[in-house]
Amino acid sequence: MSVPVMGIAPDSKASIESVYNAALALGIANQLTNILREVREDSRRGRVYLPQDELSRAGVSGDDIFQGKVTERWRNFMKGQIKRARMFFVEAEKGIYELNSASRWPV
């Protein structure tokens, strides 16, 4: 939704689709980061927004999260989630230079 507001640089050679995909990647990266940052707060409210299938594969249960258990399995799970978020940030960064110059810094 922000691409039309930010504007695509007049000299951009990128496709509109790639600029929108980069913007989408930024939104996903930010949302993933928020979810990861707020695990404890969410668990205190009885909520878990982490992917249940991936938690299960990692050997981490919802009870582990609610009890605040920090185990090696938990650390490995979180490292994978952080890696995913960073991957989306890298993808998003490709689109920044396709925006109008005045819009790049805030993004």
Side-chain angles (χ1 to χ4, degrees), residues 56-71:
S56 180
R57 280 196 301 274
V60 178
S61 71
D63 286 340
D64 293 337
I65 295 169
F66 293 129
Q67 293 172 15
K69 289 184 182 178
V70 178
T71 63

Side-chain angles (χ1 to χ4, degrees), residues 57-60 64 70-79:
R57 280 196 301 274
V60 178
D64 293 337
V70 178
T71 63
E72 197 59 32
R73 288 179 179 175
W74 171 252
R75 285 184 185 98
N76 289 332
F77 171 80
M78 289 300 284
K79 285 177 185 176

